Amino acid sequence: MDAHGGRLAVEVLQSHDVDTMFTLSGGHLFVLYDGAVQTGMRLVDVRHEQSATFAAEGFAKITRRLGCAALTAGPGVTNGVSALTAARMNGSPIVVLAGRAPQGRWGSGSLQELDHVPIVTPVTKTAATATSAASIVAEVDAACRAARTPHRGPTFVDIPLDAFGPGSIEIPAVGGDDGFRGAPPDTEALARVAALVAASARPVLVAGGDVYWAHAETPMREFAQAARIAVFVNGMGRGTLPADHELAFSRARSVALKEADLVIVAGTPLDFRLGFGRFGDAHVVHLCDAVSEIAPHAALTASVAGDLAAQFTALAAAGAPPGAHEDWIARLRAEEQAKRAAELPSLEADSAPIKPARIYGELKQRLDRDAIVIGDGGDFVSYAGKLVESYEPGTFLDPGPYGCLGMGPGYALAAGVAHPDRQVVLLLGDGAIGFALGDFEALVRHGVNVTAIVGNNGIWGLEKHPMQALFGYDVVAELSPGIRYDKVIEALGGHGEIVDAPGDIGPALDRAFATPGVSLVNVLTDPEDAYPRSSNLA
Ligand SMILES: Cc1ncc(C[n+]2csc(CCOP(=O)(O)OP(=O)(O)O)c2C)c(N)n1
Ligand SMILES: [Mg+2]
């Protein structure tokens, strides 16, 4: 087609099913915006490029489609680096396009002149500069393909101001699946895993984000059912098996991983969240979407790389001897039920100041099955990870292993844009809210339905309590107590409430859910309450 480079870039994105671009304005991007306007690409603008990039990642996480952000040259790109890194660690498929100072005058000191590629190369799958209209088409198409191909991740293309010149170029066709599902797995390796399952007495499956990205939740469930295997989920794996499925467990995790004789970890790294892959005497199997993801540091009995849906389909066909694992499942169910019974009082606690668990006791009663819950904070969000149940894929979003605070408003914007008809709940620590507070203006302006809840303990709780435990004192962990974040949201055009009594939480949440647009319930919580955790900096 005959068009300028901005339009060509957008047409390529659209051929990869991208319909939304998150951005913050900059003159280096005007031609790209013109391309978006010409073609009906939705532009959603924010107040900080970190939020634009997190919104692109959140959009990908929620929709399992490519996310896209456009960042202006120089500071726009460097502001996006933390979010790009998070997307890399999460294997989230996003394409980040950027402006760039003109190549014709490179080195003369143009405004915002910076070579971004060496900066983003370590935190992206691919990073390149497009140097002409033809190169824009080729590079943006390659970036989309690389981002979508397992193991997925962020890609980057910057476009110099003087490379947008018109061209007459064909947009490459994206045919069917086009290999984006990953390579067919090795059938012999799968047969070894099936034999381990058949020989095991106490097997456990841990399913993570790549099961979700691979759309493998149905074959995963069929495998779990056929092999009668207990399932735990983490990260974006949450909801791939509904929390109320008879084989879904969460509270029994430490017992399960300690006593298992076989631990199959699928679609998630054997990182600090999984004790780096050391599970007592168990055989450890790592099922990955690509060879690059197989843990190099763990003592693996077996590993398989390739399309996770195909892996589970093959394993489901093998099944397991009838009755082989029932005692084990009953043992875990008893543990699960005992732990859940023990936590019930905290969900109803009437103590003042408010304990964070009580907030979740109230929230759980009000969440729809498909509510999208986003957690951005320390201890307050750790409670959410434990107490909020996920019933559908793509409904619980946290920062992932990179742990970057400040992703919440960007993710919430993406959720609100992608699913205007669903509950979107944004859980924030009072420390975390400071990173992207300005982007509540973007949430209000774009008219998304988001209910934010702040666990306001006046401290960086996840840092203060561990430093106390390690050093006997703490520094730089205090925030001003009782800040009226509810009034900030009112000033920005949303609905705000402050709550300091346990009995008022529920009614405030009801009003917040009933109010269209952005609401924020600012709950003053007990700074003495520390989330019980065994390690902090693993
Ligand atoms: C960008 C970034 N900076 C710092 C940290 C370190 N950090 C992790 S949790 C935390 C405390 C969070 O405090 P808050 O959001 O108030 O939640 P609380 O623990 O008090 O519930 C900090 C500072 C981080 N993970 N990310
Ligand atoms: Mg706090």
Side-chain angles (χ1 to χ4, degrees):
M1 66 175 304
D2 264 333
H4 62 56
R7 167 131 189 200
L8 292 169
V10 173
E11 296 260 357
V12 175
L13 291 168
Q14 286 170 331
S15 76
H16 286 271
D17 198 27
V18 176
D19 63 7
T20 306
M21 180 185 275
F22 296 92
T23 193
L24 192 157
S25 189
H28 294 83
L29 297 172
F30 288 169
V31 188
L32 198 61
Y33 295 158
D34 187 55
V37 170
Q38 284 183 28
T39 57
M41 167 79 74
R42 175 166 52 186
L43 291 169
V44 182
D45 58 316
V46 296
R47 302 291 295 262
H48 192 297
E49 288 83 0
Q50 174 157 313
S51 290
T53 315
F54 274 132
E57 198 213 0
F59 194 85
K61 282 185 165 188
I62 288 158
T63 61
R64 286 191 269 199
R65 293 159 53 199
L66 266 183
C68 178
L71 309 179
T72 201
V77 173
T78 49
N79 276 351
V81 170
S82 288
L84 270 171
T85 313
R88 182 70 171 129
M89 297 252 181
N90 292 332
S92 300
I94 65 170
V95 175
V96 172
L97 300 187
R100 185 180 168 100
Q103 46 196 342
R105 211 178 277 133
W106 197 261
S108 318
S110 293
L111 176 72
Q112 295 165 224
E113 183 183 290
L114 178 71
D115 186 6
H116 312 119
V117 172
I119 294 172
V120 301
T121 292
V123 296
T124 51
K125 281 189 79 178
T126 63
T129 299
T131 52
S132 65
S135 153
I136 288 173
V137 171
E139 294 295 354
V140 176
D141 183 57
C144 291
R145 285 170 197 273
R148 290 174 59 181
T149 303
H151 181 64
R152 298 167 182 82
T155 57
F156 177 91
V157 179
D158 61 4
I159 307 172
L161 261 182
D162 52 353
F164 277 110
S168 178
I169 298 115
E170 284 307 307
I171 305 294
V174 182
D177 177 46
D178 238 2
F180 297 127
R181 281 191 168 267
D186 175 350
T187 47
E188 273 174 35
L190 282 168
R192 280 198 297 280
V193 177
L196 286 166
V197 174
S200 70
R202 298 180 305 285
V204 164
L205 171 65
V206 180
D210 295 329
V211 173
Y212 169 72
W213 291 115
H215 292 262
E217 59 269 23
T218 301
M220 190 269 279
R221 192 186 67 235
E222 286 165 0
F223 163 58
Q225 289 169 176
R228 299 295 298 161
I229 188 163
V231 180
F232 294 80
V233 289
N234 82 356
M236 287 307 293
R238 290 174 64 121
T240 53
L241 194 68
D244 52 0
H245 189 281
E246 55 133 353
L247 293 171
F249 296 84
S250 55
R251 312 310 195 265
R253 201 178 98 137
S254 52
V255 165
L257 294 180
K258 202 162 81 205
E259 296 181 10
D261 61 356
L262 172 64
V263 179
I264 301 176
V265 176
T268 190
L270 290 165
D271 61 13
F272 67 94
R273 296 171 298 175
L274 285 171
F276 302 101
R278 291 188 294 266
F279 309 113
D281 299 328
H283 288 293
V284 181
V285 171
H286 205 189
L287 306 181
C288 299
D289 63 1
V291 175
S292 58
E293 303 311 296
I294 296 172
H297 57 271
L300 301 174
T301 307
S303 61
V304 186
D307 179 14
L308 284 163
Q311 293 191 36
F312 284 124
T313 302
L315 291 172
H325 309 139
E326 297 313 311
D327 289 352
W328 171 238
I329 290 170
R331 155 106 178 87
L332 295 179
R333 186 53 64 197
E335 170 74 11
E336 180 83 14
Q337 278 163 351
K339 284 262 172 65
R340 282 174 181 270
E343 77 199 20
L344 268 184
S346 73
L347 298 175
E348 294 162 5
D350 256 327
S351 46
I354 293 169
K355 302 276 188 203
R358 172 66 189 262
I359 301 172
Y360 294 109
E362 298 295 332
L363 180 63
K364 278 162 78 102
Q365 301 167 34
R366 292 166 173 82
L367 282 180
D368 296 338
R369 249 182 118 76
D370 68 351
I372 298 171
V373 178
I374 297 158
D376 183 1
D379 280 358
F380 183 54
V381 168
S382 301
Y383 280 108
K386 181 164 137 192
L387 299 173
V388 172
E389 315 287 354
S390 303
Y391 299 103
E392 291 189 16
T395 55
F396 190 93
L397 281 68
D398 63 17
Y402 194 52
C404 186
L405 296 175
M407 33 50 79
Y411 279 18
L413 179 61
V417 165
H419 292 296
D421 47 340
R422 279 162 66 176
Q423 284 178 335
V424 177
V425 176
L426 171 56
L427 305 165
L428 294 147
D430 60 323
I433 196 175
F435 287 92
L437 192 51
D439 268 306
F440 276 86
E441 188 275 330
L443 291 170
V444 170
R445 185 163 37 83
H446 290 292
V448 291
N449 284 315
V450 171
T451 301
I453 306 172
V454 183
N456 189 349
N457 55 5
I459 56 171
W460 300 98
L462 193 150
E463 305 301 347
K464 183 180 171 85
H465 294 296
M467 189 168 174
Q468 275 286 349
L470 289 168
F471 285 77
Y473 77 100
D474 65 272
V475 288
V476 298
E478 301 287 333
L479 302 160
S480 300
I483 291 184
R484 298 299 303 270
Y485 298 107
D486 49 306
K487 293 205 165 170
V488 176
I489 266 42
E490 277 178 359
L492 293 172
H495 165 82
E497 302 221 12
I498 185 158
V499 175
D500 67 355
D504 295 342
I505 301 170
L509 290 179
D510 286 335
R511 286 188 294 274
F513 279 124
T515 308
V518 179
S519 299
L520 184 144
V521 180
N522 183 13
V523 187
L524 301 181
T525 57
D526 184 2
E528 298 300 319
D529 184 274
Y531 183 81
R533 67 181 77 244
S534 50
S535 73
N536 185 37
L537 300 171

